Amino acid sequence: MSAMTNTLPGSGTFARGVHPPERKGLSGPKAIEVLPTPKQVAIPLLQHTGAPCEPAVKPRDAVALGQVIGTSQAFISAPVHASVAGVAQMGSVATLPNGRHVKTVPIKAEGAQLEGEALLVDVFGGDWPTQGLHTHEPKAIAQAVRDAGIVGLGGAAFPTSVKFARNEAKPVDVLLVNGCECEPYLTADYRLMMEYPAPIVTGALLAAHAAGAKRVVIAIEDNKRDAAEKVRAAAGGTHVEVAVLHTKYPMGGERQTILAALKREVPTGGLPLDVGVVVINVGTAAAVARAVLRGKPLTHRVVSVTGAGVREPKNLLVPVGVSYGELIDFCGGLTDDAARIVAGGPMMGFTLADLSTPVTKGTSGVTVLTRDDVRRAEQTNCVRCGRCVDVCPLRLVPTKMAMAAKFRDWELAKRYHLQACCECGCCGYACPASIPLVQLIRLGKAQIPKE
């Protein structure tokens, strides 16, 4: 297979970035398993970018799998649904990995549940047509996606229906499906492409029709050539193109994927829409197909449980709202030298302080690191070496932004485009002084509006 399809203008890569150890062999070979139905889930009413939902059920109400339990009328929002059948409990509050406190609707599982192989078939199995999809009205597709509560499953959790809202001033000509999954360790998207490529292709075609895009490109890094072949085979007979890009972190960032595949550069502070592109994740595409063709909401997602600190790394199909602790227990528990549990991957993830924290729609994995993994040099002063600048894929100056945040110099922070940082972690990875650059930048982003 060539590094790129010859019909795409991009070079297959982007400037800067880093090459951290991939370590995907821990969970990559493991087929998706279904987590047994937990006794209780706690479903956050805010697990997406935008406005939080308000409860649509009361304590002691009986709820069915897929029933709406939280709604919002805001444009940028997404409803939430019951991921198990059971009885709603008294509302509570959970602290998400990013430190945000959110209201939850706990549901105690009761009665018959859809689980095991039947759940896998219901979510990903069966026939997925690729012809005749143009009969679905674009607005109807967007509404079905909104009603299903679909958000970006790559981690950003932006409401997908909003991306399908057409803007006459900024027409879209390319729908780009991101299957790069560049974060070390994580393999949820890889397993989905390997085992269930058909709903990804169908969802991509539906999404392109909704957004008004004539071209559909699925981008995959070249460390997943077997997955690219599976997707290419599933796309046979359609106009979907598969772009195999060079493996580099953060290739999964939408700006980097667009540049590498399409040779279009999203302006600083801009959006893919500014260059005529809509980007969705492969998992999101599969969820779109299920919502539009089968009327099913987003209640489950694939999560990688991986790292040398967990006894049996796996890829699991899990209900939204299950605790991280239950995922780890199902994978054999922690090893004796486990030292840090990260929600997500080690580059962009957040350290977990409480294993009762619930999984959200945006949870792509949980990585358990050992003492050897987290051992690092003691933090020293910045030596102005410029390595953070050399690796920043957005051509920012991370040390300036971090120091501006540390000393609360908001004018300087704005001058260096603090809000444009994608928090990929390349700067912190390359910093010889071990300065927590990303953490300082995140702190600054949170504080600027308060000033």
Side-chain angles (χ1 to χ4, degrees):
M1 185 192 302
S2 62
M4 281 282 294
T5 54
N6 56 18
T7 57
L8 293 170
S11 66
T13 189
F14 60 91
R16 304 175 180 82
V18 295
H19 292 86
E22 295 174 17
R23 295 176 179 165
K24 293 181 181 285
L26 291 166
S27 59
K30 308 292 183 67
I32 298 169
E33 296 183 41
V34 177
L35 182 77
T37 302
K39 294 180 179 179
Q40 182 166 306
V41 295
I43 302 178
L45 291 171
L46 178 61
Q47 45 184 311
H48 49 261
T49 300
C53 294
E54 293 298 325
V57 294
K58 300 185 296 294
R60 295 190 294 277
D61 280 355
V63 295
L65 171 65
Q67 179 179 332
V68 175
I69 60 171
T71 61
S72 171
Q73 297 304 312
F75 178 60
I76 301 181
S77 189
V80 293
H81 303 76
S83 58
V84 299
V87 178
Q89 307 296 298
M90 185 69 68
S92 62
V93 175
T95 302
L96 299 184
N98 62 7
R100 189 161 189 173
H101 304 295
V102 299
K103 296 178 180 178
T104 69
V105 175
I107 300 175
K108 182 180 179 182
E110 288 189 6
Q113 304 289 338
L114 184 62
E115 52 189 346
E117 186 65 24
L119 179 61
L120 263 179
V121 172
D122 182 79
V123 177
F124 300 123
D127 295 327
W128 298 98
T130 57
Q131 305 300 321
L133 299 179
H134 64 279
T135 59
H136 295 269
E137 290 293 331
K139 288 185 178 179
I141 294 172
Q143 188 61 51
V145 168
R146 163 83 185 204
D147 293 344
I150 297 174
V151 302
L153 300 187
F158 189 83
T160 303
S161 63
V162 177
K163 292 187 175 185
F164 297 162
R166 299 197 184 187
N167 183 338
E168 293 183 3
K170 297 180 179 180
V172 171
D173 67 313
V174 180
L175 187 284
L176 183 60
V177 183
N178 194 335
C180 291
E181 197 171 32
C182 61
E183 179 82 49
Y185 290 96
L186 304 187
T187 56
D189 289 348
Y190 168 72
R191 289 313 312 178
L192 183 59
M193 291 186 287
M194 287 292 293
E195 298 178 55
Y196 302 103
I200 296 172
V201 173
T202 298
L205 291 167
L206 287 165
H209 183 46
K214 301 300 183 184
R215 198 170 193 178
V216 184
V217 178
I218 300 178
I220 305 169
E221 283 186 305
D222 60 10
N223 62 351
K224 309 175 189 68
R225 290 181 180 273
D226 49 356
E229 292 288 6
K230 294 279 188 180
V231 174
R232 196 187 300 275
T238 74
H239 65 285
V240 173
E241 303 168 76
V242 177
V244 182
L245 310 180
H246 297 296
T247 299
K248 182 195 284 191
Y249 182 85
M251 183 62 80
E254 60 184 17
R255 284 170 168 78
Q256 288 70 52
T257 314
I258 291 170
L259 181 62
L262 304 174
K263 203 176 181 180
R264 301 183 189 181
E265 187 167 359
V266 179
T268 300
L271 298 170
L273 189 64
D274 295 325
V275 293
V277 182
V278 165
V279 183
I280 63 173
N281 170 264
V282 289
T284 307
V288 167
R290 186 169 182 254
V292 175
L293 300 184
R294 300 181 181 178
K296 298 293 184 70
L298 178 59
T299 58
H300 291 70
R301 68 152 299 146
V302 180
V303 176
S304 295
V305 185
T306 184
V310 66
R311 295 189 185 279
E312 299 177 54
K314 296 176 183 285
N315 298 288
L316 304 175
L317 181 64
V318 309
V320 171
V322 68
S323 71
Y324 281 89
E326 289 179 80
L327 271 57
I328 292 172
D329 289 344
F330 184 70
C331 293
L334 303 174
T335 62
D336 293 338
D337 59 346
R340 181 179 299 167
I341 302 172
V342 179
M347 296 295 287
M348 293 188 72
F350 294 84
T351 299
L352 273 174
D354 184 355
L355 290 182
S356 68
T357 300
V359 165
T360 67
K361 298 174 185 179
T363 302
S364 55
V366 52
T367 307
V368 185
L369 304 174
T370 65
R371 285 187 287 271
D372 284 343
D373 293 328
V374 301
R375 187 176 292 119
R376 58 179 295 170
E378 182 180 355
Q379 180 179 334
T380 59
N381 293 327
C382 176
V383 295
R384 307 293 192 271
C385 65
R387 292 186 189 178
C388 60
V389 180
D390 291 340
V391 300
C392 178
L394 299 181
R395 295 181 294 187
L396 301 174
V397 186
T399 185
K400 289 287 188 182
M401 296 187 296
M403 292 304 105
K406 181 177 181 179
F407 295 106
R408 305 173 67 83
D409 187 339
W410 305 126
E411 287 304 316
L412 182 64
K414 292 174 183 176
R415 194 185 315 156
Y416 281 94
H417 305 288
L418 176 80
Q419 297 285 14
C421 172
C422 65
E423 303 174 23
C424 67
C426 287
C427 55
Y429 180 81
C431 179
S434 298
I435 298 171
L437 295 168
V438 175
Q439 288 78 1
L440 289 169
I441 290 169
R442 283 174 174 164
L443 182 64
K445 283 184 175 184
Q447 291 182 332
I448 276 186
K450 298 176 184 178
E451 295 294 318

